[in-house]
Each structure stands twice: as structure tokens, then as C-alpha cells.
PDB file of all heavy atoms in Angstrom:
ATOM      1  N   PRO A  88       1.710  -9.281  15.237  1.00 94.00           N
ATOM      2  CA  PRO A  88       2.857  -9.863  14.545  1.00 94.00           C
ATOM      3  C   PRO A  88       3.654 -10.762  15.442  1.00 94.00           C
ATOM      4  O   PRO A  88       3.583 -10.675  16.681  1.00 94.00           O
ATOM      5  CB  PRO A  88       3.645  -8.650  14.136  1.00 94.00           C
ATOM      6  CG  PRO A  88       3.333  -7.624  15.194  1.00 94.00           C
ATOM      7  CD  PRO A  88       1.893  -7.870  15.572  1.00 94.00           C
ATOM      8  N   ASP A  89       4.482 -11.593  14.801  1.00 90.00           N
ATOM      9  CA  ASP A  89       5.422 -12.430  15.548  1.00 90.00           C
ATOM     10  C   ASP A  89       6.687 -11.694  15.875  1.00 90.00           C
ATOM     11  O   ASP A  89       7.472 -12.081  16.779  1.00 90.00           O
ATOM     12  CB  ASP A  89       5.760 -13.706  14.744  1.00 90.00           C
ATOM     13  CG  ASP A  89       4.504 -14.545  14.473  1.00 90.00           C
ATOM     14  OD1 ASP A  89       3.982 -15.064  15.431  1.00 90.00           O
ATOM     15  OD2 ASP A  89       4.099 -14.642  13.305  1.00 90.00           O
ATOM     16  N   LEU A  90       6.947 -10.654  15.110  1.00 91.00           N
ATOM     17  CA  LEU A  90       8.174  -9.862  15.304  1.00 91.00           C
ATOM     18  C   LEU A  90       7.972  -8.444  14.807  1.00 91.00           C
ATOM     19  O   LEU A  90       7.257  -8.227  13.804  1.00 91.00           O
ATOM     20  CB  LEU A  90       9.354 -10.492  14.488  1.00 91.00           C
ATOM     21  CG  LEU A  90      10.686  -9.752  14.584  1.00 91.00           C
ATOM     22  CD1 LEU A  90      11.396 -10.063  15.920  1.00 91.00           C
ATOM     23  CD2 LEU A  90      11.591 -10.161  13.406  1.00 91.00           C
ATOM     24  N   VAL A  91       8.510  -7.486  15.518  1.00 94.00           N
ATOM     25  CA  VAL A  91       8.525  -6.103  15.071  1.00 94.00           C
ATOM     26  C   VAL A  91       9.950  -5.654  14.738  1.00 94.00           C
ATOM     27  O   VAL A  91      10.850  -5.821  15.566  1.00 94.00           O
ATOM     28  CB  VAL A  91       7.914  -5.153  16.104  1.00 94.00           C
ATOM     29  CG1 VAL A  91       7.957  -3.691  15.616  1.00 94.00           C
ATOM     30  CG2 VAL A  91       6.501  -5.576  16.494  1.00 94.00           C
ATOM     31  N   PHE A  92      10.130  -5.214  13.545  1.00 93.00           N
ATOM     32  CA  PHE A  92      11.428  -4.641  13.125  1.00 93.00           C
ATOM     33  C   PHE A  92      11.255  -3.142  13.067  1.00 93.00           C
ATOM     34  O   PHE A  92      10.483  -2.630  12.307  1.00 93.00           O
ATOM     35  CB  PHE A  92      11.864  -5.205  11.770  1.00 93.00           C
ATOM     36  CG  PHE A  92      13.206  -4.658  11.298  1.00 93.00           C
ATOM     37  CD1 PHE A  92      14.375  -5.284  11.670  1.00 93.00           C
ATOM     38  CD2 PHE A  92      13.257  -3.509  10.493  1.00 93.00           C
ATOM     39  CE1 PHE A  92      15.579  -4.768  11.217  1.00 93.00           C
ATOM     40  CE2 PHE A  92      14.470  -2.995  10.080  1.00 93.00           C
ATOM     41  CZ  PHE A  92      15.664  -3.655  10.436  1.00 93.00           C
ATOM     42  N   VAL A  93      12.025  -2.466  13.918  1.00 93.00           N
ATOM     43  CA  VAL A  93      11.936  -0.992  13.978  1.00 93.00           C
ATOM     44  C   VAL A  93      13.088  -0.345  13.297  1.00 93.00           C
ATOM     45  O   VAL A  93      14.249  -0.643  13.551  1.00 93.00           O
ATOM     46  CB  VAL A  93      11.887  -0.533  15.488  1.00 93.00           C
ATOM     47  CG1 VAL A  93      11.796   1.019  15.564  1.00 93.00           C
ATOM     48  CG2 VAL A  93      10.706  -1.136  16.208  1.00 93.00           C
ATOM     49  N   ALA A  94      12.797   0.535  12.340  1.00 89.00           N
ATOM     50  CA  ALA A  94      13.829   1.320  11.669  1.00 89.00           C
ATOM     51  C   ALA A  94      13.542   2.791  11.851  1.00 89.00           C
ATOM     52  O   ALA A  94      12.538   3.321  11.275  1.00 89.00           O
ATOM     53  CB  ALA A  94      13.794   0.948  10.133  1.00 89.00           C
ATOM     54  N   TRP A  95      14.334   3.464  12.656  1.00 85.00           N
ATOM     55  CA  TRP A  95      14.018   4.835  13.037  1.00 85.00           C
ATOM     56  C   TRP A  95      15.333   5.609  13.133  1.00 85.00           C
ATOM     57  O   TRP A  95      16.385   5.121  13.475  1.00 85.00           O
ATOM     58  CB  TRP A  95      13.365   4.835  14.405  1.00 85.00           C
ATOM     59  CG  TRP A  95      12.385   5.955  14.608  1.00 85.00           C
ATOM     60  CD1 TRP A  95      12.661   7.225  15.105  1.00 85.00           C
ATOM     61  CD2 TRP A  95      10.993   5.940  14.340  1.00 85.00           C
ATOM     62  NE1 TRP A  95      11.540   7.961  15.087  1.00 85.00           N
ATOM     63  CE2 TRP A  95      10.478   7.229  14.630  1.00 85.00           C
ATOM     64  CE3 TRP A  95      10.138   4.986  13.861  1.00 85.00           C
ATOM     65  CZ2 TRP A  95       9.154   7.593  14.477  1.00 85.00           C
ATOM     66  CZ3 TRP A  95       8.802   5.302  13.664  1.00 85.00           C
ATOM     67  CH2 TRP A  95       8.304   6.546  13.994  1.00 85.00           C
ATOM     68  N   ALA A  96      15.223   6.895  12.822  1.00 78.00           N
ATOM     69  CA  ALA A  96      16.380   7.807  12.950  1.00 78.00           C
ATOM     70  C   ALA A  96      15.915   9.198  13.354  1.00 78.00           C
ATOM     71  O   ALA A  96      14.797   9.606  13.042  1.00 78.00           O
ATOM     72  CB  ALA A  96      17.117   7.916  11.601  1.00 78.00           C
ATOM     73  N   GLY A  97      16.771   9.878  14.097  1.00 77.00           N
ATOM     74  CA  GLY A  97      16.449  11.278  14.422  1.00 77.00           C
ATOM     75  C   GLY A  97      15.964  11.538  15.805  1.00 77.00           C
ATOM     76  O   GLY A  97      15.929  10.691  16.704  1.00 77.00           O
ATOM     77  N   ALA A  98      15.553  12.774  16.045  1.00 80.00           N
ATOM     78  CA  ALA A  98      15.266  13.292  17.379  1.00 80.00           C
ATOM     79  C   ALA A  98      14.004  12.735  18.037  1.00 80.00           C
ATOM     80  O   ALA A  98      13.819  12.890  19.246  1.00 80.00           O
ATOM     81  CB  ALA A  98      15.159  14.800  17.301  1.00 80.00           C
ATOM     82  N   THR A  99      13.096  12.131  17.287  1.00 86.00           N
ATOM     83  CA  THR A  99      11.870  11.556  17.856  1.00 86.00           C
ATOM     84  C   THR A  99      12.022  10.171  18.385  1.00 86.00           C
ATOM     85  O   THR A  99      11.022   9.586  18.819  1.00 86.00           O
ATOM     86  CB  THR A  99      10.726  11.638  16.810  1.00 86.00           C
ATOM     87  OG1 THR A  99      11.109  10.793  15.662  1.00 86.00           O
ATOM     88  CG2 THR A  99      10.422  13.042  16.363  1.00 86.00           C
ATOM     89  N   SER A 100      13.242   9.629  18.357  1.00 82.00           N
ATOM     90  CA  SER A 100      13.405   8.225  18.774  1.00 82.00           C
ATOM     91  C   SER A 100      12.938   7.982  20.166  1.00 82.00           C
ATOM     92  O   SER A 100      12.253   6.956  20.500  1.00 82.00           O
ATOM     93  CB  SER A 100      14.898   7.846  18.624  1.00 82.00           C
ATOM     94  OG  SER A 100      15.327   7.853  17.305  1.00 82.00           O
ATOM     95  N   GLY A 101      13.271   8.893  21.135  1.00 80.00           N
ATOM     96  CA  GLY A 101      12.886   8.678  22.512  1.00 80.00           C
ATOM     97  C   GLY A 101      11.410   8.613  22.720  1.00 80.00           C
ATOM     98  O   GLY A 101      10.892   7.715  23.383  1.00 80.00           O
ATOM     99  N   ALA A 102      10.632   9.525  22.065  1.00 88.00           N
ATOM    100  CA  ALA A 102       9.210   9.537  22.211  1.00 88.00           C
ATOM    101  C   ALA A 102       8.592   8.287  21.600  1.00 88.00           C
ATOM    102  O   ALA A 102       7.615   7.746  22.108  1.00 88.00           O
ATOM    103  CB  ALA A 102       8.634  10.798  21.549  1.00 88.00           C
ATOM    104  N   MET A 103       9.144   7.845  20.471  1.00 90.00           N
ATOM    105  CA  MET A 103       8.655   6.644  19.816  1.00 90.00           C
ATOM    106  C   MET A 103       8.804   5.402  20.741  1.00 90.00           C
ATOM    107  O   MET A 103       7.867   4.647  20.934  1.00 90.00           O
ATOM    108  CB  MET A 103       9.377   6.447  18.479  1.00 90.00           C
ATOM    109  CG  MET A 103       8.927   5.181  17.738  1.00 90.00           C
ATOM    110  SD  MET A 103       9.829   3.664  18.213  1.00 90.00           S
ATOM    111  CE  MET A 103      11.461   4.058  17.692  1.00 90.00           C
ATOM    112  N   TRP A 104      10.019   5.273  21.308  1.00 86.00           N
ATOM    113  CA  TRP A 104      10.247   4.078  22.140  1.00 86.00           C
ATOM    114  C   TRP A 104       9.377   4.151  23.438  1.00 86.00           C
ATOM    115  O   TRP A 104       8.929   3.114  23.925  1.00 86.00           O
ATOM    116  CB  TRP A 104      11.734   3.930  22.512  1.00 86.00           C
ATOM    117  CG  TRP A 104      12.528   3.404  21.369  1.00 86.00           C
ATOM    118  CD1 TRP A 104      13.453   4.080  20.629  1.00 86.00           C
ATOM    119  CD2 TRP A 104      12.481   2.104  20.832  1.00 86.00           C
ATOM    120  NE1 TRP A 104      13.918   3.282  19.659  1.00 86.00           N
ATOM    121  CE2 TRP A 104      13.388   2.054  19.761  1.00 86.00           C
ATOM    122  CE3 TRP A 104      11.757   0.940  21.131  1.00 86.00           C
ATOM    123  CZ2 TRP A 104      13.571   0.897  19.007  1.00 86.00           C
ATOM    124  CZ3 TRP A 104      11.944  -0.186  20.389  1.00 86.00           C
ATOM    125  CH2 TRP A 104      12.852  -0.235  19.339  1.00 86.00           C
ATOM    126  N   GLN A 105       9.184   5.339  23.921  1.00 86.00           N
ATOM    127  CA  GLN A 105       8.317   5.477  25.149  1.00 86.00           C
ATOM    128  C   GLN A 105       6.911   5.000  24.830  1.00 86.00           C
ATOM    129  O   GLN A 105       6.273   4.314  25.651  1.00 86.00           O
ATOM    130  CB  GLN A 105       8.333   6.953  25.595  1.00 86.00           C
ATOM    131  CG  GLN A 105       7.554   7.189  26.874  1.00 86.00           C
ATOM    132  CD  GLN A 105       7.650   8.614  27.339  1.00 86.00           C
ATOM    133  OE1 GLN A 105       7.726   9.525  26.530  1.00 86.00           O
ATOM    134  NE2 GLN A 105       7.567   8.851  28.615  1.00 86.00           N
ATOM    135  N   ALA A 106       6.392   5.361  23.644  1.00 92.00           N
ATOM    136  CA  ALA A 106       5.078   4.936  23.308  1.00 92.00           C
ATOM    137  C   ALA A 106       4.963   3.439  23.174  1.00 92.00           C
ATOM    138  O   ALA A 106       4.016   2.799  23.628  1.00 92.00           O
ATOM    139  CB  ALA A 106       4.673   5.666  21.991  1.00 92.00           C
ATOM    140  N   LEU A 107       5.978   2.806  22.540  1.00 93.00           N
ATOM    141  CA  LEU A 107       5.944   1.342  22.402  1.00 93.00           C
ATOM    142  C   LEU A 107       5.972   0.689  23.755  1.00 93.00           C
ATOM    143  O   LEU A 107       5.300  -0.320  23.986  1.00 93.00           O
ATOM    144  CB  LEU A 107       7.117   0.870  21.547  1.00 93.00           C
ATOM    145  CG  LEU A 107       7.149   1.235  20.057  1.00 93.00           C
ATOM    146  CD1 LEU A 107       8.286   0.472  19.352  1.00 93.00           C
ATOM    147  CD2 LEU A 107       5.816   1.001  19.378  1.00 93.00           C
ATOM    148  N   SER A 108       6.756   1.228  24.650  1.00 89.00           N
ATOM    149  CA  SER A 108       6.869   0.660  25.979  1.00 89.00           C
ATOM    150  C   SER A 108       5.565   0.857  26.759  1.00 89.00           C
ATOM    151  O   SER A 108       5.033  -0.105  27.348  1.00 89.00           O
ATOM    152  CB  SER A 108       8.040   1.306  26.742  1.00 89.00           C
ATOM    153  OG  SER A 108       8.162   0.770  28.049  1.00 89.00           O
ATOM    154  N   GLN A 109       5.020   2.061  26.745  1.00 91.00           N
ATOM    155  CA  GLN A 109       3.803   2.324  27.528  1.00 91.00           C
ATOM    156  C   GLN A 109       2.606   1.536  27.016  1.00 91.00           C
ATOM    157  O   GLN A 109       1.741   1.164  27.791  1.00 91.00           O
ATOM    158  CB  GLN A 109       3.517   3.834  27.451  1.00 91.00           C
ATOM    159  CG  GLN A 109       4.500   4.689  28.223  1.00 91.00           C
ATOM    160  CD  GLN A 109       4.208   6.166  28.142  1.00 91.00           C
ATOM    161  OE1 GLN A 109       3.453   6.574  27.249  1.00 91.00           O
ATOM    162  NE2 GLN A 109       4.795   6.939  29.000  1.00 91.00           N
ATOM    163  N   GLN A 110       2.537   1.269  25.736  1.00 94.00           N
ATOM    164  CA  GLN A 110       1.404   0.525  25.182  1.00 94.00           C
ATOM    165  C   GLN A 110       1.646  -0.960  25.226  1.00 94.00           C
ATOM    166  O   GLN A 110       0.771  -1.753  24.788  1.00 94.00           O
ATOM    167  CB  GLN A 110       1.195   0.939  23.703  1.00 94.00           C
ATOM    168  CG  GLN A 110       0.808   2.398  23.576  1.00 94.00           C
ATOM    169  CD  GLN A 110      -0.439   2.755  24.338  1.00 94.00           C
ATOM    170  OE1 GLN A 110      -1.470   2.039  24.219  1.00 94.00           O
ATOM    171  NE2 GLN A 110      -0.381   3.809  25.146  1.00 94.00           N
ATOM    172  N   GLY A 111       2.742  -1.434  25.782  1.00 94.00           N
ATOM    173  CA  GLY A 111       2.960  -2.837  26.002  1.00 94.00           C
ATOM    174  C   GLY A 111       3.534  -3.645  24.805  1.00 94.00           C
ATOM    175  O   GLY A 111       3.623  -4.873  24.846  1.00 94.00           O
ATOM    176  N   VAL A 112       3.952  -2.907  23.736  1.00 95.00           N
ATOM    177  CA  VAL A 112       4.493  -3.652  22.564  1.00 95.00           C
ATOM    178  C   VAL A 112       5.715  -4.425  22.949  1.00 95.00           C
ATOM    179  O   VAL A 112       5.870  -5.586  22.534  1.00 95.00           O
ATOM    180  CB  VAL A 112       4.795  -2.625  21.454  1.00 95.00           C
ATOM    181  CG1 VAL A 112       5.495  -3.364  20.268  1.00 95.00           C
ATOM    182  CG2 VAL A 112       3.559  -1.910  20.968  1.00 95.00           C
ATOM    183  N   LEU A 113       6.620  -3.862  23.735  1.00 92.00           N
ATOM    184  CA  LEU A 113       7.850  -4.542  24.118  1.00 92.00           C
ATOM    185  C   LEU A 113       7.633  -5.739  25.009  1.00 92.00           C
ATOM    186  O   LEU A 113       8.504  -6.635  25.085  1.00 92.00           O
ATOM    187  CB  LEU A 113       8.800  -3.532  24.735  1.00 92.00           C
ATOM    188  CG  LEU A 113       9.168  -2.335  23.875  1.00 92.00           C
ATOM    189  CD1 LEU A 113      10.090  -1.385  24.674  1.00 92.00           C
ATOM    190  CD2 LEU A 113       9.855  -2.752  22.616  1.00 92.00           C
ATOM    191  N   ASP A 114       6.518  -5.766  25.689  1.00 91.00           N
ATOM    192  CA  ASP A 114       6.195  -6.894  26.584  1.00 91.00           C
ATOM    193  C   ASP A 114       5.504  -7.997  25.798  1.00 91.00           C
ATOM    194  O   ASP A 114       5.650  -9.223  26.147  1.00 91.00           O
ATOM    195  CB  ASP A 114       5.307  -6.438  27.701  1.00 91.00           C
ATOM    196  CG  ASP A 114       6.016  -5.490  28.661  1.00 91.00           C
ATOM    197  OD1 ASP A 114       7.171  -5.739  28.993  1.00 91.00           O
ATOM    198  OD2 ASP A 114       5.385  -4.503  29.088  1.00 91.00           O
ATOM    199  N   GLU A 115       4.759  -7.653  24.741  1.00 91.00           N
ATOM    200  CA  GLU A 115       3.922  -8.605  24.054  1.00 91.00           C
ATOM    201  C   GLU A 115       4.607  -9.236  22.867  1.00 91.00           C
ATOM    202  O   GLU A 115       4.272 -10.395  22.506  1.00 91.00           O
ATOM    203  CB  GLU A 115       2.636  -7.921  23.611  1.00 91.00           C
ATOM    204  CG  GLU A 115       1.750  -7.387  24.717  1.00 91.00           C
ATOM    205  CD  GLU A 115       1.192  -8.513  25.576  1.00 91.00           C
ATOM    206  OE1 GLU A 115       0.981  -9.608  25.039  1.00 91.00           O
ATOM    207  OE2 GLU A 115       1.001  -8.260  26.798  1.00 91.00           O
ATOM    208  N   ILE A 116       5.548  -8.538  22.192  1.00 91.00           N
ATOM    209  CA  ILE A 116       6.054  -8.951  20.880  1.00 91.00           C
ATOM    210  C   ILE A 116       7.575  -8.830  20.875  1.00 91.00           C
ATOM    211  O   ILE A 116       8.105  -7.794  21.362  1.00 91.00           O
ATOM    212  CB  ILE A 116       5.452  -8.123  19.752  1.00 91.00           C
ATOM    213  CG1 ILE A 116       3.931  -8.092  19.877  1.00 91.00           C
ATOM    214  CG2 ILE A 116       5.891  -8.627  18.410  1.00 91.00           C
ATOM    215  CD1 ILE A 116       3.268  -7.005  19.002  1.00 91.00           C
ATOM    216  N   PRO A 117       8.303  -9.790  20.354  1.00 87.00           N
ATOM    217  CA  PRO A 117       9.771  -9.603  20.208  1.00 87.00           C
ATOM    218  C   PRO A 117      10.044  -8.437  19.256  1.00 87.00           C
ATOM    219  O   PRO A 117       9.430  -8.285  18.203  1.00 87.00           O
ATOM    220  CB  PRO A 117      10.205 -10.921  19.577  1.00 87.00           C
ATOM    221  CG  PRO A 117       9.127 -11.905  19.881  1.00 87.00           C
ATOM    222  CD  PRO A 117       7.894 -11.136  19.911  1.00 87.00           C
ATOM    223  N   VAL A 118      11.029  -7.618  19.663  1.00 92.00           N
ATOM    224  CA  VAL A 118      11.363  -6.414  18.911  1.00 92.00           C
ATOM    225  C   VAL A 118      12.875  -6.428  18.564  1.00 92.00           C
ATOM    226  O   VAL A 118      13.664  -6.651  19.430  1.00 92.00           O
ATOM    227  CB  VAL A 118      10.997  -5.109  19.666  1.00 92.00           C
ATOM    228  CG1 VAL A 118      11.494  -3.872  18.947  1.00 92.00           C
ATOM    229  CG2 VAL A 118       9.501  -5.021  19.898  1.00 92.00           C
ATOM    230  N   VAL A 119      13.157  -6.221  17.286  1.00 90.00           N
ATOM    231  CA  VAL A 119      14.548  -6.094  16.816  1.00 90.00           C
ATOM    232  C   VAL A 119      14.695  -4.712  16.197  1.00 90.00           C
ATOM    233  O   VAL A 119      13.836  -4.225  15.482  1.00 90.00           O
ATOM    234  CB  VAL A 119      14.847  -7.168  15.770  1.00 90.00           C
ATOM    235  CG1 VAL A 119      16.281  -7.004  15.263  1.00 90.00           C
ATOM    236  CG2 VAL A 119      14.704  -8.579  16.367  1.00 90.00           C
ATOM    237  N   THR A 120      15.827  -4.055  16.553  1.00 91.00           N
ATOM    238  CA  THR A 120      16.070  -2.757  15.952  1.00 91.00           C
ATOM    239  C   THR A 120      17.566  -2.518  15.851  1.00 91.00           C
ATOM    240  O   THR A 120      18.392  -3.231  16.491  1.00 91.00           O
ATOM    241  CB  THR A 120      15.398  -1.637  16.770  1.00 91.00           C
ATOM    242  OG1 THR A 120      15.437  -0.409  15.979  1.00 91.00           O
ATOM    243  CG2 THR A 120      16.096  -1.411  18.089  1.00 91.00           C
ATOM    244  N   GLY A 121      17.893  -1.451  15.153  1.00 89.00           N
ATOM    245  CA  GLY A 121      19.319  -1.084  15.062  1.00 89.00           C
ATOM    246  C   GLY A 121      19.695  -0.210  16.246  1.00 89.00           C
ATOM    247  O   GLY A 121      18.895   0.701  16.609  1.00 89.00           O
ATOM    248  N   LEU A 122      20.838  -0.486  16.835  1.00 92.00           N
ATOM    249  CA  LEU A 122      21.289   0.375  17.938  1.00 92.00           C
ATOM    250  C   LEU A 122      21.824   1.672  17.324  1.00 92.00           C
ATOM    251  O   LEU A 122      22.743   1.641  16.478  1.00 92.00           O
ATOM    252  CB  LEU A 122      22.387  -0.318  18.756  1.00 92.00           C
ATOM    253  CG  LEU A 122      22.922   0.444  19.948  1.00 92.00           C
ATOM    254  CD1 LEU A 122      21.829   0.650  20.980  1.00 92.00           C
ATOM    255  CD2 LEU A 122      24.119  -0.279  20.578  1.00 92.00           C
ATOM    256  N   GLY A 123      21.218   2.789  17.748  1.00 88.00           N
ATOM    257  CA  GLY A 123      21.591   4.066  17.147  1.00 88.00           C
ATOM    258  C   GLY A 123      22.853   4.640  17.778  1.00 88.00           C
ATOM    259  O   GLY A 123      23.681   3.898  18.387  1.00 88.00           O
ATOM    260  N   ASP A 124      23.037   5.938  17.679  1.00 92.00           N
ATOM    261  CA  ASP A 124      24.224   6.608  18.251  1.00 92.00           C
ATOM    262  C   ASP A 124      24.089   6.708  19.773  1.00 92.00           C
ATOM    263  O   ASP A 124      23.018   6.404  20.336  1.00 92.00           O
ATOM    264  CB  ASP A 124      24.458   7.933  17.574  1.00 92.00           C
ATOM    265  CG  ASP A 124      23.306   8.906  17.723  1.00 92.00           C
ATOM    266  OD1 ASP A 124      22.231   8.500  18.213  1.00 92.00           O
ATOM    267  OD2 ASP A 124      23.514  10.108  17.449  1.00 92.00           O
ATOM    268  N   SER A 125      25.144   7.149  20.400  1.00 93.00           N
ATOM    269  CA  SER A 125      25.155   7.152  21.873  1.00 93.00           C
ATOM    270  C   SER A 125      24.104   8.001  22.488  1.00 93.00           C
ATOM    271  O   SER A 125      23.653   7.786  23.653  1.00 93.00           O
ATOM    272  CB  SER A 125      26.523   7.582  22.357  1.00 93.00           C
ATOM    273  OG  SER A 125      26.863   8.872  21.863  1.00 93.00           O
ATOM    274  N   ALA A 126      23.587   9.012  21.742  1.00 88.00           N
ATOM    275  CA  ALA A 126      22.511   9.876  22.259  1.00 88.00           C
ATOM    276  C   ALA A 126      21.279   9.098  22.521  1.00 88.00           C
ATOM    277  O   ALA A 126      20.371   9.571  23.292  1.00 88.00           O
ATOM    278  CB  ALA A 126      22.300  11.007  21.320  1.00 88.00           C
ATOM    279  N   THR A 127      21.075   7.947  21.898  1.00 86.00           N
ATOM    280  CA  THR A 127      19.870   7.155  22.017  1.00 86.00           C
ATOM    281  C   THR A 127      19.905   6.095  23.065  1.00 86.00           C
ATOM    282  O   THR A 127      18.950   5.444  23.358  1.00 86.00           O
ATOM    283  CB  THR A 127      19.476   6.537  20.676  1.00 86.00           C
ATOM    284  OG1 THR A 127      20.389   5.505  20.324  1.00 86.00           O
ATOM    285  CG2 THR A 127      19.427   7.546  19.550  1.00 86.00           C
ATOM    286  N   PHE A 128      21.116   5.834  23.643  1.00 89.00           N
ATOM    287  CA  PHE A 128      21.242   4.699  24.541  1.00 89.00           C
ATOM    288  C   PHE A 128      20.319   4.798  25.696  1.00 89.00           C
ATOM    289  O   PHE A 128      19.847   3.744  26.227  1.00 89.00           O
ATOM    290  CB  PHE A 128      22.697   4.580  25.059  1.00 89.00           C
ATOM    291  CG  PHE A 128      23.697   4.230  23.981  1.00 89.00           C
ATOM    292  CD1 PHE A 128      25.069   4.281  24.255  1.00 89.00           C
ATOM    293  CD2 PHE A 128      23.336   3.809  22.732  1.00 89.00           C
ATOM    294  CE1 PHE A 128      25.952   3.960  23.306  1.00 89.00           C
ATOM    295  CE2 PHE A 128      24.227   3.488  21.735  1.00 89.00           C
ATOM    296  CZ  PHE A 128      25.589   3.552  22.000  1.00 89.00           C
ATOM    297  N   GLY A 129      20.049   5.981  26.203  1.00 83.00           N
ATOM    298  CA  GLY A 129      19.189   6.134  27.348  1.00 83.00           C
ATOM    299  C   GLY A 129      17.697   6.138  26.990  1.00 83.00           C
ATOM    300  O   GLY A 129      16.843   6.143  27.908  1.00 83.00           O
ATOM    301  N   ALA A 130      17.393   6.161  25.691  1.00 78.00           N
ATOM    302  CA  ALA A 130      15.983   6.334  25.286  1.00 78.00           C
ATOM    303  C   ALA A 130      15.193   5.091  25.590  1.00 78.00           C
ATOM    304  O   ALA A 130      13.953   5.198  25.699  1.00 78.00           O
ATOM    305  CB  ALA A 130      15.940   6.632  23.790  1.00 78.00           C
TER     306      ALA A 130
END
């Protein structure tokens, strides 16, 4: 894709973002998402 729009909520956010990062999605494709609550800032 030319763009990935991520819509996610809840406790699995950290594992989801880790997978996208490890598989290179964030390096290969522009990603837009909503900034969640403060608990997710470090994810």
C-alpha cells in the first residue's frame, strides 16, 4: 500500500506496534494512526 491507517485500542497495542516495527512496515510504508492514551506513548 501507499499508506497504512492503523485503528487500534486496548492492551495489545504494544505487541501490535512491535510486530509492525520488527517486520519493517514502519520503514517501508507511511503510517498514520491515532495517538492513544498516555499508557501507549512508550509503545
Side-chain angles (χ1 to χ4, degrees):
D89 298 293
L90 178 77
V91 179
F92 179 87
V93 178
W95 210 272
T99 59
S100 295
M103 179 274 294
W104 284 110
Q105 184 178 29
L107 293 190
S108 179
Q109 290 178 344
Q110 296 302 310
V112 174
L113 301 178
D114 294 318
E115 298 294 329
I116 308 165
V118 174
V119 176
T120 193
L122 182 64
D124 61 349
S125 58
T127 69
F128 292 170

